[in-house]
Amino acid sequence: MSRRIGEPVWVTSTADRDARYPHLAGVPGSAASVAFPLLVGDTARAAVVVGFAQPRAFDEDDRFFVRTLAHLCALALGLTGGMRQSVLVL
């Protein structure tokens, strides 16, 4: 979703996710997550998704960290000139 709308999506809990995306209700997954578009120029080419095991109210430090991570990933994506779909689990 983040890539399609070009804006970050901050999901603070499973209840928040289920309210936003009813089709995901009951599906196992992270308790909280953020999806951030990777912009190359004005185009969202991919997204970084970070999940958390516990519900989380994202404070300014969290938001700064994820924005910085997404910016660095977008720079790397722009430098490679292309992209392959991949998943990195840390």
Side-chain angles (χ1 to χ4, degrees):
M1 180 60 128
S2 174
R3 179 175 173 241
R4 280 186 279 167
I5 63 174
E7 296 289 331
V9 176
W10 305 90
V11 178
T12 60
S13 66
T14 305
D16 182 20
R17 180 201 66 186
D18 293 350
R20 291 173 188 236
Y21 310 104
H23 63 284
L24 295 177
V27 174
S30 301
S33 62
V34 58
F36 219 94
L38 299 181
L39 301 175
V40 178
D42 292 333
T43 303
R45 301 277 305 273
V48 169
V49 179
V50 181
F52 300 88
Q54 301 297 320
R56 183 178 193 96
F58 297 99
D59 63 21
E60 278 306 308
D61 287 340
D62 294 329
R63 292 171 185 267
F64 178 79
F65 174 79
V66 174
R67 274 190 216 102
T68 301
L69 176 64
H71 179 71
L72 292 173
C73 290
L75 286 173
L77 180 61
L79 290 174
T80 64
M83 155 182 95
R84 282 184 249 158
Q85 183 175 3
S86 63
V87 175
L88 174 63
V89 178
L90 301 174

